[in-house]
Amino acid sequence: MAGGCDPAVREFELAASDLSCGSQFSSIMGPPQRESSLLSVFTFRFLRRLAENVKRRRHHVRVTSLYLIERIFNLAVTFIVFALFARSYGPALVGTYSYAQTVMQFAVPFLAAGSEGVVIRELVRGAHPHGEVMGSAFVVLSAIGLGVTLAPLGFIAATNGFQNPLWSISILLGLGFIPNGFLVAEQALKADVKPVPIIAARIVSATISGAAKVFLILRGYPIESIAAVIAAEAFVLSGLLLYAYHRAGYKISAWRLSSTYAVFLLKQAVPSMIAWLLVMFFYRANQVLLAFLSTLDAVGQYAVAFQVVQIVL
């Protein structure tokens, strides 16, 4: 009975059953011819199924490899930019920027990335219309994104006041969370196993952003300009992903909100969001604590070392 769950095993059982039946009529049909014929059928079916499985696995390996290439590219760009960034602005400003970025990143688990697995699962299952899943997920993520962005900003205002450049950097980084809801387009493409448009959009946005940062750093622009580029990159990436989503044959106009389904998605996503928040707190809290226990110069030096280690991880 268990074999019916796996098509390959099912093929084996059918062939084996035929072979068993053939032995009962060997006196009529001739045992060598009958068994040889059934063995050939079984071998053909088995090899065909094996070829299909190999082809499927090769596709998964190819998709994973593409995502890995994109990840390595982004790490390389980030490393080069950060090296110029740290050398040009010095420990104090790098520490200020790193502190603001770390605090603001505590909102990331509650954005699109925190619910990605749930949305992709719902799209693959197809239990609800595509437009309903996309529309409900968009509203949930947009609402949550707005709310959780205010929390780190409130923390910075309460603990450090409205001192610049810390406050202005934090505001600019927070603006990058605004198009968060539109990242559901990326999740739809992932559900359809279409990595090329996603990777192309991310590489293009990272390249534009990296080139803009290098230009601003070499020209000696204020550190707030780097935060502004990061915010602009979020809008560029969202636009490229929406374009890829449209090219894949989908329409944003088909998105529909179901309040009941939106609540369901939220309940499903909250556990993974909290888990991700705890993991991020474990790895990132030291930079926040260091800002209170030492100076921003020390935070900057720690941030440089942490960025180098991330290349290996």
Side-chain angles (χ1 to χ4, degrees):
M1 297 296 105
C5 298
D6 190 329
V9 176
R10 183 58 179 164
E11 294 285 355
F12 176 83
E13 291 178 344
L14 289 174
S17 175
D18 289 344
L19 190 61
S20 175
C21 292
S23 64
Q24 299 176 11
F25 299 99
S26 60
S27 60
I28 301 176
M29 302 188 64
Q33 294 84 357
R34 176 64 176 175
E35 293 182 5
S36 175
S37 175
L38 290 174
L39 185 59
S40 300
V41 171
F42 164 73
T43 303
F44 173 76
R45 290 178 175 178
F46 177 77
L47 292 177
R48 183 182 62 183
R49 183 63 61 182
L50 182 63
E52 291 175 355
N53 289 337
V54 170
K55 183 179 180 180
R56 191 179 301 112
R57 288 189 177 93
R58 287 179 60 185
H59 175 69
H60 293 328
V61 170
R62 184 166 60 251
V63 170
T64 304
S65 300
L66 289 173
Y67 282 120
L68 180 61
I69 291 171
E70 182 263 332
R71 174 67 174 166
I72 294 173
F73 176 84
N74 281 336
L75 284 174
V77 171
T78 301
F79 181 78
I80 294 171
V81 172
F82 193 82
L84 293 172
F85 175 75
R87 185 177 180 85
S88 300
Y89 290 105
L93 283 176
V94 171
T96 301
Y97 182 90
S98 178
Y99 173 74
Q101 186 180 47
T102 299
V103 173
M104 295 305 298
Q105 280 183 337
F106 281 109
V108 170
F110 298 95
L111 303 180
S115 65
E116 182 176 77
V118 174
V119 176
I120 292 176
R121 182 198 68 191
E122 293 298 307
L123 289 170
V124 171
R125 284 180 174 177
H128 296 264
H130 180 91
E132 183 177 316
V133 176
M134 296 295 290
S136 301
F138 170 76
V139 172
V140 169
L141 294 177
S142 297
I144 292 179
L146 177 61
V148 298
T149 301
L150 297 176
L153 286 175
F155 174 83
I156 291 176
T159 56
N160 301 94
F162 300 96
Q163 304 174 12
N164 284 322
L166 177 60
W167 179 249
S168 55
I169 291 173
S170 303
I171 290 292
L172 289 169
L173 292 176
L175 291 176
F177 296 153
I178 291 178
N180 165 68
F182 289 108
L183 294 183
V184 294
E186 179 181 14
Q187 297 166 3
L189 294 173
K190 286 184 177 180
D192 289 345
V193 196
K194 295 179 178 178
V196 175
I198 298 172
I199 293 169
R202 289 196 169 274
I203 288 180
V204 169
S205 62
T207 302
I208 295 174
S209 174
K213 290 174 188 175
V214 169
F215 173 81
L216 295 173
I217 291 170
L218 295 179
R219 289 287 183 172
Y221 280 82
I223 196 169
E224 292 92 336
S225 63
I226 306 300
V229 170
I230 291 178
E233 181 184 0
F235 286 89
V236 171
L237 176 60
S238 297
L240 292 173
L241 289 172
L242 287 175
Y243 174 75
Y245 179 79
H246 177 76
R247 291 279 295 178
Y250 298 110
K251 302 291 184 182
I252 300 179
S253 58
W255 292 5
R256 297 290 183 268
L257 170 64
S258 168
S259 56
T260 303
Y261 189 59
V263 172
F264 168 78
L265 289 177
L266 179 60
K267 290 180 178 179
Q268 291 286 303
V270 164
S272 62
M273 291 177 175
I274 295 175
W276 195 352
L277 176 64
L278 294 176
V279 172
M280 181 169 288
F281 183 81
F282 177 79
Y283 284 103
R284 298 281 184 173
N286 45 11
Q287 294 192 41
V288 179
L289 294 174
L290 191 60
F292 289 98
L293 298 175
S294 186
T295 63
L296 289 175
D297 291 63
V299 175
Q301 294 169 6
Y302 181 89
V304 172
F306 186 79
Q307 188 68 38
V308 172
V309 171
Q310 276 192 316
I311 299 296
V312 183
L313 296 178

